[in-house]
Amino acid sequence: MLVNNKSPSSSEIQTLYHQLTAHHSCHAYPDNQANNPILHSENIDNNYDSKLPIDLLEQLPTHQVANVYIDAIEQVFEQLFQHNYSAIAANQKSAYRLDLVIVIDCMHGATGRIAQRLFERFCQQVIFLNDTPDGNFPLGNPDPTEPNRLNELQRAVVSHAADIGLAFDGDGDRLMIVDNNGKIVTPDHLLYLLARIAITEHPNSLSNSLLASEVLFDIKCAHHLPRLLSELGTTPVISKTGSSFMRQQVQHPDNQIVFAGELSGHFIFNDSRFIPYDDAMYSALRLLHWLDQAHDDANDKKPLADIIQSLPTIVSTADHYLPMPQTTTTDCSLVEQLTRFCHYLQYLVDMSTHTDSSSSQQLKDTCLPATTCKSSACACATAKSQVALKQTHELLPVGTKLSCIDGVRLDFAHGFGVLRQSNTSNSLTARFAGDSVNDLKDIQATFAALCRPFNAALAEQILAIPAE
């Protein structure tokens, strides 16, 4: 839901809730109701207006809203067919269906009402799982990123010899996929593929206007992603985690962002073809259209598993939730302490490369104003006193990149790690990745060593997080 192209605030959502329960009405903004004309289905033009107010759309029956949505997507794909399928006769484009077998798991969520009509319109063979909306979610939390949540979809893809499996979350704004071998595609790889589609199929892809384009990804994405995006000729931009932050950046009038994505499965195409919003069904159809065109050197259709196989191997942990440790002070959270500590270590590393050994002790005792703790009881001061210069280089080797826009992220030569405070619960989230299992373990050990001065139990929990 967007209000003036922005996600509604908590108070606006509560206002809507109270109006729904009190009046059985969907009018969230009473001040505007007097000026709203009654919208009849026959007045809906085929040229979809992306700014059609939600309080007008809600007056339509559900199936008519679905018509508006499907018509809008159909226009997008007719344009794509025109661009990529010049051999198809003009009167056949509207009837063209992608030569793919797909399996879709709606997880008893909201997409079940529309997915069948939408995907059967564009694909030759579609198998549906759990497509009856049920707010009780009998199979569990409709989150496709949860461990083992895609087991049914994986089995169905294999048994039907399908080209791909798609999974939508409960409200249809997140997407996860399974390749033709029944293997889950990591969100990092999926984000890269969708970004590649947004760039190569951009209406201005043949002009110079994309030279300054950007792709936004959140801080939990793996270390390979920035390099892969750079190879596409775009600028990778790291963002805080949170789809609302991502939408705000995409919708800023001065941005050059053509695509944005998160590890959690939120993806936004911002290529002027459709509404810049995290719509899982639209993202899935863009992926299917691209996959339908993918061919190898012998002009045979290239399986998704082969495409993924050509990307760098990622050995990673899941986005793991850890209990929020209690700190000894009320004004310094553990993440704040760790952030200051890492800034301090980075300062030592930077300065030591330009300072002789006789000044090492002086450097170790240095405390920059920017890293001064809020409280004298803060564990950050104790941690500093325990770190020798040699240990500093082991923890943060020269060339390590530190990002603190959302927790602490460290990018090493062969992997990365991030520790941050969850947006939705009183817990920490951690994720680590490496080029190999040993690289992954080394990075977890580094983060454990960084956290141990503040909380020994947290350090052990980090070491215990298993690889996916």
Side-chain angles (χ1 to χ4, degrees):
M1 179 168 62
L2 293 179
V3 180
N4 295 326
N5 290 324
K6 295 181 180 179
S7 297
S9 66
S10 297
S11 61
E12 289 172 330
I13 294 173
Q14 287 299 317
T15 299
L16 174 61
Y17 168 75
H18 289 301
Q19 290 174 342
L20 284 169
T21 55
H23 307 295
H24 305 286
S25 167
C26 293
H27 294 287
Y29 302 95
D31 292 342
N32 296 329
Q33 287 182 16
N35 299 322
N36 287 340
I38 297 176
L39 186 67
H40 298 287
S41 59
E42 60 268 22
N43 295 331
I44 300 174
D45 194 286
N46 286 333
N47 296 316
Y48 179 78
D49 180 0
S50 64
K51 295 183 174 59
L52 198 63
I54 190 69
D55 54 355
L56 295 185
L57 275 180
E58 65 85 19
Q59 296 178 42
L60 290 173
T62 300
H63 72 279
Q64 293 179 5
V65 176
N67 289 340
V68 175
Y69 178 74
I70 293 175
D71 286 349
I73 291 183
E74 188 170 60
Q75 290 181 44
V76 173
F77 281 85
E78 284 184 354
Q79 293 172 3
L80 290 172
F81 292 158
Q82 187 77 33
H83 178 71
N84 296 302
Y85 299 90
S86 56
I88 300 174
N91 62 353
Q92 294 178 335
K93 287 185 174 65
S94 62
Y96 185 85
R97 285 179 170 78
L98 304 174
D99 184 19
L100 297 170
V101 178
I102 65 173
V103 182
I104 298 177
D105 188 350
C106 297
M107 297 194 171
H108 293 292
T111 57
R113 290 291 187 199
I114 192 172
Q116 182 171 1
R117 290 180 56 198
L118 184 65
F119 285 88
E120 289 183 348
R121 161 66 189 82
F122 294 108
C123 303
Q124 289 193 6
Q125 186 175 350
V126 191
I127 298 97
F128 289 94
L129 307 174
N130 310 309
D131 59 336
T132 302
D134 184 345
N136 293 313
F137 301 112
L139 299 180
N141 186 26
D143 180 354
T145 65
E146 283 190 355
N148 304 316
R149 193 62 179 86
L150 299 183
N151 287 353
E152 183 182 4
L153 178 62
Q154 292 175 272
R155 291 192 297 267
V157 167
V158 173
S159 64
H160 291 281
D163 296 290
I164 190 173
L166 310 173
F168 306 128
D169 73 334
D171 59 350
D173 59 5
R174 293 197 290 144
L175 168 69
M176 286 286 285
I177 67 171
V178 170
D179 70 18
N180 53 293
N181 291 334
K183 183 178 179 181
I184 296 172
V185 176
T186 68
D188 307 276
H189 284 156
L190 176 56
L191 196 161
Y192 167 74
L193 291 180
L194 293 174
R196 179 174 163 185
I197 294 166
I199 292 167
T200 57
E201 294 184 346
H202 195 282
N204 299 327
S205 59
L206 299 179
S207 69
N208 293 328
S209 59
L210 279 181
L211 293 178
S213 67
E214 298 174 339
V215 170
L216 196 67
F217 64 97
D218 82 301
I219 201 164
K220 296 190 292 187
C221 291
H223 57 294
H224 289 305
L225 188 59
R227 177 178 59 79
L228 290 172
L229 294 175
S230 296
E231 291 174 356
L232 292 175
T234 189
T235 300
V237 179
I238 196 167
S239 165
K240 290 182 178 181
T241 290
S243 57
S244 60
F245 295 123
M246 188 171 66
R247 284 192 294 271
Q248 289 171 14
Q249 289 178 265
V250 168
Q251 293 160 6
H252 193 280
D254 298 329
N255 84 78
Q256 299 292 324
I257 300 167
V258 297
F259 182 80
E262 281 196 315
L263 186 77
S264 60
H266 290 274
F267 304 111
I268 299 177
F269 283 82
N270 191 33
D271 56 4
S272 303
R273 295 187 185 276
F274 196 63
I275 305 169
Y277 193 75
D278 37 334
D279 183 331
M281 289 191 290
Y282 176 73
S283 294
L285 281 166
R286 291 293 298 268
L287 177 66
L288 294 176
H289 171 263
W290 177 80
L291 186 62
D292 184 61
Q293 303 173 66
H295 293 81
D296 58 22
D297 295 336
N299 205 31
D300 295 323
K301 188 163 290 186
K302 196 168 186 178
L304 179 58
D306 290 359
I307 296 172
I308 298 301
Q309 187 68 30
S310 68
L311 300 178
T313 300
I314 299 175
V315 183
S316 71
T317 69
D319 180 23
H320 202 84
Y321 283 77
L322 300 171
M324 178 66 72
Q326 296 295 319
T327 56
T328 56
T329 61
T330 58
D331 58 349
C332 291
S333 71
L334 185 140
V335 172
E336 289 174 323
Q337 293 176 22
L338 183 62
T339 299
R340 281 191 289 269
F341 186 40
C342 287
H343 275 302
Y344 172 73
L345 295 179
Q346 186 181 52
Y347 171 75
L348 293 186
V349 171
D350 292 343
M351 292 298 294
S352 66
T353 59
H354 303 96
T355 307
D356 59 35
S357 58
S358 63
S359 303
S360 296
Q361 184 61 39
Q362 180 181 354
L363 276 172
K364 188 175 79 67
D365 295 335
T366 301
C367 185
L368 296 174
T371 62
T372 302
C373 303
K374 297 178 182 179
S375 169
S376 59
C378 180
C380 183
T382 304
K384 290 177 188 176
S385 67
Q386 296 175 353
V387 177
L389 197 58
K390 179 180 177 181
Q391 291 174 296
T392 300
H393 282 278
E394 292 175 353
L395 293 173
L396 264 69
V398 175
T400 301
K401 295 180 181 178
L402 170 65
S403 175
C404 296
I405 62 170
D406 185 5
V408 172
R409 173 183 172 123
L410 292 171
D411 281 85
F412 305 94
H414 302 290
F416 97 107
V418 63
L419 185 69
R420 55 179 291 277
Q421 186 164 341
S422 169
N423 293 334
T424 56
S425 64
N426 185 34
S427 56
L428 297 174
T429 68
R431 190 188 185 215
F432 309 99
D435 294 344
S436 67
V437 173
N438 288 337
D439 290 330
L440 173 63
K441 290 180 178 179
D442 286 345
I443 291 167
Q444 286 179 258
T446 296
F447 268 80
L450 289 169
C451 292
R452 190 166 284 112
F454 308 106
N455 192 289
L458 175 63
E460 297 309 310
Q461 290 167 356
I462 288 174
L463 291 173
I465 297 175
E468 288 188 293

